[in-house]
Amino acid sequence: MQYSWKNIPRYIRYVFVQTLYLFLLMVMFRAIFYFFFFKTTVTNHTAIVKAWNFGLRFDLRLTLYLMVPLLLLAFISRNNFFTSRPIRRGVTIYLSIIYIVLLWLYVVDLGHYAYLGQRLDPSILRFFAKGERADNARMVWQSYPVLRGSVGIIIFLYLLYLLQRATWRKFAAQQPTYLRNWPFVGYVVTMILLFAAGIYGNVAYFPLRWSQAMFTRDNGITSLGLNPVLYFISNFSVDSDTFDTKSTQNYYPAISEYLRVDSPDVNKLNYIRDVPADSAKPKLNVVLVMLESTGAAVTSMYGNPMQATPNMQRLADSGILFKNFYVPAISTAKTVFAVHTGLPDITSVKTASRHPKMLDQRIVMDQFKGYEKLYLLGGNTNWANIRAVFTNNIEGIRIYEEGMYKSGKADVWGVSDYDLITEASEIFKKENDTRKPFIAFLQLADNHPPYTTTSGAGDFKKVTEKDLDMKKFKESGFVSVDQFNALRYEDYNVGHLIDLARKNGYLDNTIFVFFGDHNCVLDPYHFMPLPEYELATGGVHVTAFMYSPKHIAPEVIDYPVSLLDVYPTVAGMVGMPYKNYTLGVNMFDTTRGNDRYVFIQYIRNQMPYYAIMGPRYLYEVNYRTHAKALYDLKADPMKDVSAQLPDTARSLDSLANGFYESTRYLMFNNKKQ
C-alpha cells in the first residue's frame, strides 16, 4: 500500500491530503454542533445516523468544491507545483482564505443557531445594516465570549499554519514522479471522476439536494443533516421584495370578504373599513408594552412547569388573557413594524423597517386624535431603522431613547428595563396630570442576550441550579438558568410598572396591553395543548393580556387573535373613530364567531412557511416548494388532511394567499394621501 501511495505523483497526493484536512475540519464542527448544540424530540437513533450520513456527504461536497482550484493548478503545473515560488505563495494565500472564511462562517453559524435555533441563512445580513452595526457588535460582545473565542481561533489558525507548512515541506522534499502522457491522462480522468462523484453525492439519477436532509419534521435532525455554508449559499437570493397586482386581484375576493371591506373593488383593491366614533366609551390612556422574547409557552398562564411569571399571572387573572395570540414572524423588528402598520412583515432577507419603499403607511395609531403619542425604549431607535416607522407615519410622536434618560446604559440595549420603566412612569404621570389622554408604546429588551438583570431599587435576585427543581426545569423548555432568570426579571419589571402606575395615579384610567414580540429559543417541550414545538408554531405563539382594573373584567379568550389586531382593538375600546386600511380586525368583534384566522410565518426543518391558523385548522404553504398542507388541530395536528377535506383546503388556500398577496401589495401601496 505504501509503495502504491508513493508511486502517485506528489502533487496529486498533496491534493488528497489537503482534501482530507479540510474535510476533517468540517467533521470537527459537525461534531461540535452535535455534542453541544443539537437538540431533538426524535428518539430513533436511525434518524440521527441518517442525518449524519447526509451531513458528511454535504461536507464532502463543499470540501471538493473548494479543492477543485487546487486540483486544476496541480494538473497544470505538475512537477513545477513544488518548485515555483509564485505557486507556493498562491497556494498559501488560497488555503489561508479558505480556512479563515470557513472558521468565521462555522463560528457564526453556531452562534446563530444558539440564538435563533436555525442554521445560518441570509437573514443574518440584517445585522450588518448601515447605522446599527455598532449596536449589533456590542450585543455580540456582551452575549458571547468574543475575546476568548478570538484567541482560540487565532491559536487554531496558527496550528493550521504550522500543519500546512510541515505538509508542504514534506511533499516538496520528496522525489518527483515523471509520467508519460497516457498515465497522466489516467490520473486526470480518475481524479475528475472521484471529485464528480463526491460532489454529486448520491447513488441515484439526481444529485444530493439539501431538501433530502429534511426527511423528518424535526428541526434538530434537519439541522444536523445540513452543511451550513452550502445551505446559506443555496438560500441566498438577491431578488427584491415586490408585489403582483394580478395575484392580489385573484385572491382579493376572499380577503375582502374576511375583512368585511366597506366597498370591495377588485380593480381598485380597496381595503378600507370606516369605524365610527363611540362617544359612550371613555378616552382612557393606552400603554402597549412589548415583552421581549416572551412566548406563551414560557409563562405561568400557559402551564409552564416553572411558573416563572407570577406578576403576569396576577394581572392576566384580573384582566383579559388571550390564550391564542400570534405574531406574524419571529423578529423584534418585524413585530414592531407589524403591530403599528397592521401588515405582516413578509420580507425575505431584511426587514420592512429597513426597506425605504415600505416605510410610508397609513396606520391606526396616527388617527388617535386628541392623544399624545409616545414611543419609549431603552436603546437607540436607529436599531433596524425603526425610528422611521414612527416618525414617517405618526404625526407629532415623541420618542424617548438612550441619552434622554437620567439612568446610564446597562448593556448594548441601553438602559435596563427597571430604569426604563421607572422613568417611563414619570413621563406617564406628567401626561396624565395634564388630563389629556396619551397612547404609548413601551418596548422592553432585557429578556434577550446578554440577559442583563439589575435589581434597581428593588429586590430582584437571580436563582441558580441549586435553587431549582431541575426535573421540572428540563420539562419547561428553558435552555439555561440565565434565560430563566431573564424572564423572571421581566416579570418582576411588569409588576414594577403596575406598582408605579398605582402610585403615580394613572392606573385607574389606563388600559395596559402586554404582548410578546416572539418566543425565545427553547428545548423541546410538550405541556401545551398543541404540539407547537414540532409544528414550529410555538415561535410565534406569544403571551398577551390586557389589564385595567377599573375598566376590564376578568376573561379568557380562546379564539385566535393576531398582533395585527392590537390597534383596531384598543381604538374600539376608547371609542376612537378610524379608518382601517390594512389587515387587522377588532379582537372583540363578537359577530365573527369562529370565523377568525391569524396569518403567521415559521420555519420548520429549515423550510419557511406562511400559514393561517383558526380555531380548528392550520393551513400552510411552503415559501420555496409551494407545497401545501391542512392540519386538523382538534384531531391529529401533525397529519395532513387536505385530501380528506378538499373544500376546506381550497377555501383556506384562498384566504391564506389573500393575506399573503394583499400584504405584498399593501406594503407598497398603502401610502398616505
Side-chain angles (χ1 to χ4, degrees):
M1 181 67 183
Q2 184 178 6
Y3 179 78
S4 299
W5 172 253
K6 288 291 186 181
N7 281 343
I8 298 172
R10 57 181 177 170
Y11 49 86
I12 296 178
R13 285 185 282 122
Y14 179 78
V15 174
F16 266 118
V17 170
Q18 289 296 348
T19 302
L20 179 62
Y21 287 165
L22 195 57
F23 180 67
L24 289 176
L25 176 76
M26 297 183 195
V27 173
M28 179 190 76
F29 273 102
R30 185 167 299 280
I32 291 171
F33 175 82
Y34 178 74
F35 287 110
F36 298 101
F37 297 86
F38 175 70
K39 50 193 174 187
T40 180
T41 59
V42 174
T43 57
N44 183 359
H45 292 293
T46 302
I48 296 175
V49 172
K50 189 174 181 180
W52 265 96
N53 177 272
F54 280 123
L56 292 174
R57 282 194 274 164
F58 280 119
D59 292 345
L60 180 60
R61 171 181 283 179
L62 178 58
T63 300
L64 295 176
Y65 275 144
L66 295 173
M67 285 294 106
V68 165
L70 194 64
L71 181 66
L72 292 175
L73 181 62
F75 281 143
I76 292 170
S77 59
R78 299 175 72 170
N79 285 317
N80 291 328
F81 188 82
F82 290 101
T83 59
S84 170
R85 182 173 296 178
I87 289 177
R88 177 179 180 178
R89 184 178 295 113
V91 169
T92 301
I93 293 173
Y94 179 68
L95 291 177
S96 298
I97 292 172
I98 286 177
Y99 280 104
I100 291 171
V101 172
L102 281 181
L103 276 173
W104 184 82
L105 286 173
Y106 271 100
V107 170
V108 171
D109 171 68
L110 294 176
H112 189 271
Y113 193 89
Y115 181 29
L116 296 173
Q118 304 292 338
R119 301 312 294 255
L120 192 65
D121 64 44
S123 66
I124 195 174
L125 297 178
R126 69 186 187 272
F127 294 112
F128 296 93
K130 185 178 180 181
E132 53 194 275
R133 300 186 190 104
D135 283 344
N136 291 327
R138 285 195 293 272
M139 185 273 286
V140 170
W141 177 265
Q142 295 173 12
S143 302
Y144 299 99
V146 176
L147 190 58
R148 285 178 293 159
S150 299
V151 171
I153 290 173
I154 291 170
I155 292 173
F156 187 73
L157 284 171
Y158 179 69
L159 294 175
L160 282 175
Y161 165 74
L162 295 178
L163 176 65
Q164 292 292 341
R165 187 175 66 174
T167 302
W168 179 274
R169 288 178 175 176
K170 178 180 178 180
F171 281 97
Q174 295 174 5
Q175 290 297 317
T177 301
Y178 296 96
L179 297 175
R180 294 180 181 272
N181 287 339
W182 284 113
F184 176 72
V185 170
Y187 276 114
V188 170
V189 171
T190 300
M191 293 297 290
I192 289 174
L193 290 176
L194 288 175
F195 267 61
I199 291 171
Y200 194 79
N202 248 1
V203 184
Y205 67 90
F206 55 87
L208 178 67
R209 294 171 178 162
W210 52 262
S211 57
Q212 288 179 256
M214 299 168 185
F215 60 89
T216 72
R217 297 171 61 90
D218 185 84
N219 182 64
I221 295 292
T222 299
S223 299
L224 180 63
L226 294 170
N227 177 285
V229 178
L230 289 176
Y231 182 73
F232 177 86
I233 294 170
S234 67
N235 289 287
F236 190 87
S237 173
V238 296
D239 294 337
S240 299
D241 292 292
T242 185
F243 65 94
D244 185 323
T245 302
K246 289 185 178 179
S247 294
T248 309
Q249 291 173 328
N250 186 39
Y251 294 107
Y252 177 81
I255 190 67
S256 62
E257 181 181 359
Y258 175 78
L259 295 174
R260 302 178 182 178
V261 171
D262 292 345
S263 302
D265 190 324
V266 72
N267 294 313
K268 294 183 179 179
L269 293 175
N270 172 43
Y271 291 85
I272 300 175
R273 288 89 76 203
D274 199 339
V275 181
D278 186 347
S279 58
K281 300 285 182 65
K283 294 296 185 287
L284 302 173
N285 305 319
V286 178
V287 177
L288 308 178
V289 184
M290 195 197 80
L291 306 168
E292 173 65 47
S293 302
T294 308
V298 294
T299 54
S300 303
M301 301 84 77
Y302 302 83
N304 189 286
M306 291 306 294
Q307 295 291 292
T309 58
N311 288 306
M312 295 185 197
Q313 177 83 66
R314 171 174 56 86
L315 300 181
D317 288 345
S318 303
I320 300 174
L321 173 64
F322 299 96
K323 295 286 281 188
N324 290 288
F325 185 104
Y326 289 84
V327 297
I330 302 176
S331 164
T332 301
K334 286 176 181 278
T335 287
V336 175
F337 179 87
V339 69
H340 286 93
T341 64
L343 295 173
D345 185 342
I346 59 173
T347 51
S348 56
V349 177
K350 294 185 177 182
T351 60
S353 61
R354 297 173 170 101
H355 199 308
K357 293 183 180 180
M358 296 179 183
L359 286 174
D360 188 357
Q361 299 289 335
R362 295 181 290 189
I363 67 179
V364 175
M365 187 184 188
D366 186 50
Q367 300 176 55
F368 271 68
K369 303 304 180 185
Y371 273 67
E372 288 295 311
K373 304 174 187 72
L374 314 171
Y375 172 43
L376 307 95
L377 79 164
N380 192 291
T381 51
N382 287 337
W383 156 79
N385 193 39
I386 213 69
R387 181 193 306 273
V389 174
F390 293 93
T391 58
N392 197 52
N393 298 306
I394 304 169
E395 186 177 356
I397 191 165
R398 287 157 42 200
I399 293 177
Y400 294 85
E401 57 186 324
E402 68 179 29
M404 301 175 69
Y405 302 111
K406 302 171 189 172
S407 307
K409 290 181 64 172
D411 58 24
V412 63
W413 305 120
V415 304
S416 72
D417 283 352
Y418 183 94
D419 291 331
L420 172 62
I421 286 172
T422 301
E423 298 200 38
S425 187
E426 294 176 3
I427 295 168
F428 298 159
K429 180 182 185 303
K430 289 179 181 178
E431 294 298 327
N432 185 69
D433 289 346
T434 65
R435 301 190 179 279
K436 183 179 181 180
F438 66 88
I439 180 168
F441 187 80
L442 177 63
Q443 182 174 331
L444 305 186
D446 284 344
N447 186 28
H448 184 296
Y451 295 136
T452 301
T453 58
T454 68
S455 60
D459 57 357
F460 177 78
K461 291 182 176 61
K462 294 183 180 181
V463 296
T464 62
E465 282 192 20
K466 66 181 181 182
D467 303 314
L468 303 174
D469 181 335
M470 292 309 294
K471 181 180 179 182
K472 282 187 178 180
F473 189 82
K474 289 179 180 179
E475 294 171 353
S476 70
F478 288 103
V479 300
S480 69
V481 176
D482 283 343
Q483 185 189 55
F484 177 64
N485 276 319
L487 179 64
R488 291 179 58 246
Y489 178 64
E490 182 176 69
D491 179 72
Y492 165 80
N493 284 314
V494 166
H496 178 51
L497 173 61
I498 299 303
D499 289 343
L500 289 176
R502 183 178 293 107
K503 176 183 175 183
N504 291 332
Y506 60 89
L507 177 63
D508 290 345
N509 60 329
T510 301
I511 298 170
F512 289 89
V513 184
F514 297 88
F515 60 90
D517 64 334
H518 54 78
N519 207 348
C520 51
V521 174
L522 295 173
D523 285 337
Y525 59 92
H526 301 100
F527 52 82
M528 298 292 279
L530 292 176
E532 62 179 37
Y533 185 89
E534 290 78 7
L535 284 168
T537 58
V540 289
H541 183 198
V542 301
T543 295
F545 55 94
M546 290 183 177
Y547 180 71
S548 183
K550 294 290 185 181
H551 303 279
I552 291 179
E555 184 180 4
V556 175
I557 291 181
D558 288 313
Y559 52 73
V561 293
S562 171
L563 177 77
L564 310 179
D565 304 335
V566 169
Y567 276 102
T569 301
V570 295
M573 294 175 77
V574 300
M576 182 63 60
Y578 65 97
K579 290 182 184 292
N580 193 345
Y581 299 93
T582 51
L583 304 181
V585 299
N586 191 326
M587 299 181 201
F588 301 134
D589 183 355
T590 56
T591 65
R592 287 189 168 273
N594 286 328
D595 182 29
R596 292 181 177 274
Y597 287 90
V598 295
F599 179 88
I600 54 178
Q601 301 164 95
Y602 46 83
I603 295 176
R604 186 175 64 244
N605 293 354
Q606 300 295 132
M607 293 292 279
Y609 295 85
Y610 66 89
I612 56 171
M613 177 179 278
R616 179 161 187 172
Y617 296 109
L618 170 68
Y619 184 83
E620 69 179 16
V621 181
N622 189 306
Y623 267 111
R624 294 182 190 149
T625 67
H626 306 294
K628 302 172 181 180
L630 174 68
Y631 304 100
D632 187 342
L633 303 178
K634 300 294 185 183
D636 182 353
M638 305 295 289
K639 180 182 178 182
D640 179 9
V641 295
S642 53
Q644 291 78 22
L645 300 169
D647 292 339
T648 301
R650 192 177 304 111
S651 173
L652 294 184
D653 181 75
S654 294
L655 185 57
N657 283 292
F659 269 104
Y660 176 68
E661 296 296 345
S662 293
T663 298
R664 295 175 69 208
Y665 175 80
L666 287 168
M667 278 182 157
F668 294 93
N669 295 280
N670 188 37
K671 300 183 187 301
K672 297 180 288 296
Q673 301 299 320

